[in-house]
Amino acid sequence: MRPFALPALTVVLDTQVLLRGALARTQSLTARIYEAWCAGEFILLVSEPILAEVDTVTARPDIVRKLRVTPRDARAVLFRLRRRARLVRPEVVIRLS
């Protein structure tokens, strides 16, 4: 008899959670979430709008200073997301008014 296999957990994370987790210097909750993704414990879903937001945020010098990382380290997050996360296309677009 084969053991019951659960479907893979798929997750969408807020940009702030992604960046704080990826660039954390401590074992914060966001760092543990990011490390769990890196370890393959869940599938991270991203969309082009999420990637665009990460791109915009990591290009801001004030954010890079606040996170206490180099611009290169901050930009590497975007590269890692593009390479390892699963890109999805949202079927519904929510317009802010």
Side-chain angles (χ1 to χ4, degrees), residues 55-69:
D55 187 34
T56 300
V57 170
T58 56
R60 292 178 46 193
D62 59 319
I63 298 296
V64 172
R65 270 192 311 278
K66 184 177 182 177
L67 292 171
R68 297 183 187 144
V69 296

Side-chain angles (χ1 to χ4, degrees), residues 24-82:
R25 293 175 176 241
T26 63
Q27 278 298 108
S28 64
L29 178 59
T30 56
R32 291 195 314 258
I33 292 169
Y34 189 82
E35 288 170 6
W37 169 60
C38 290
E41 294 181 28
F42 62 88
I43 297 168
L44 179 62
L45 303 179
V46 295
S47 63
E48 283 301 333
I50 290 171
L51 294 173
E53 184 177 8
V54 170
D55 187 34
T56 300
V57 170
T58 56
R60 292 178 46 193
D62 59 319
I63 298 296
V64 172
R65 270 192 311 278
K66 184 177 182 177
L67 292 171
R68 297 183 187 144
V69 296
T70 66
R72 183 176 184 209
D73 288 341
R75 304 298 283 176
V77 175
L78 179 63
F79 177 76
R80 195 173 309 121
L81 291 172
R82 287 197 178 278

